[in-house]
Amino acid sequence: VVSTQSTGSQTQQADKLDRVSQLQEVFEELVYNLGACVGVLQRDAPPFHFNMNTGSTRKQVEKDSLQAHFAFEAASAEYAKNLVSLSSKFDEGLASLPKITEKSEEEQLTRLMELEKRNVETVEELKTEIQKAELLKLVREALHEIYNDRSLSNEANS
């Protein structure tokens, strides 16, 4: 039987794992969107002309590509908003994780030893529960056989 303190601790550990998994998902989404943004922006970017006579650079958007230029600008802004949103979400998730650097190496080793001890205890509890389940299965099978034997003997007597 697991105590409520242990269960609460296990729930906290599961929450931490869930937060790490969520953080990983956000990071993967951020990387995917960053790659997609760069690819789409490279593909859809309007031409950029260099004026070699003046030594300066200047966009020269022609009348027929003006609409495409504005669509590109709107898409760029939307991509930027999405990336900023995902970055903020990632930063918040990262900030919510416990700080490992606040503990000394000795404290971390002590904590690891405690976790290992708890892991061994949990494995032993699990083995005990499996043995109980196997015994229960044998008892059920034996009761089922007894029931069948009695049913057959009652039918034979009738």
Side-chain angles (χ1 to χ4, degrees):
V1 178
V2 180
S3 70
T4 55
Q5 182 181 10
S6 177
T7 304
S9 177
Q10 289 172 350
T11 303
Q12 288 174 346
Q13 288 174 352
D15 289 344
K16 289 177 187 174
L17 291 177
D18 289 343
R19 284 190 284 175
V20 171
S21 296
Q22 291 170 356
L23 189 61
Q24 183 177 356
E25 287 175 9
V26 171
F27 180 75
E28 288 171 358
E29 186 179 358
L30 179 63
V31 169
Y32 173 80
N33 281 316
L34 182 62
C37 291
V38 169
V40 169
L41 293 176
Q42 285 177 340
R43 180 192 70 199
D44 296 345
F48 191 80
H49 300 282
F50 293 93
N51 187 345
M52 297 299 199
N53 295 334
T54 62
S56 63
T57 60
R58 194 175 72 186
K59 280 190 186 179
Q60 297 184 4
V61 181
E62 300 170 1
K63 290 180 184 177
D64 56 344
S65 68
L66 189 58
Q67 194 174 24
H69 175 72
F70 287 128
F72 175 78
E73 292 294 325
S76 299
E78 191 62 34
Y79 282 132
K81 286 179 192 175
N82 189 24
L83 289 174
V84 167
S85 172
L86 287 171
S87 296
S88 296
K89 191 175 179 182
F90 181 77
D91 288 342
E92 289 169 8
L94 197 58
S96 75
L97 294 175
K99 306 291 185 255
I100 293 176
T101 56
E102 294 174 358
K103 296 182 180 180
S104 69
E105 184 176 340
E106 188 175 303
E107 290 173 323
Q108 291 177 30
L109 288 173
T110 303
R111 176 73 175 140
L112 284 174
M113 291 171 64
E114 289 171 8
L115 290 173
E116 181 62 29
K117 181 181 175 186
R118 198 178 310 163
N119 187 35
V120 169
E121 291 170 356
T122 303
V123 166
E124 291 301 320
E125 289 176 15
L126 184 59
K127 285 180 182 178
T128 303
E129 293 301 318
I130 289 172
Q131 289 173 348
K132 288 178 184 178
E134 289 172 351
L135 182 60
L136 182 60
K137 181 181 176 185
L138 291 173
V139 168
R140 284 183 180 164
E141 289 173 358
L143 287 173
H144 186 68
E145 284 181 35
I146 292 170
Y147 175 77
N148 286 340
D149 288 346
R150 286 196 176 169
S151 297
L152 290 175
S153 68
N154 285 343
E155 289 177 10
N157 291 338
S158 302

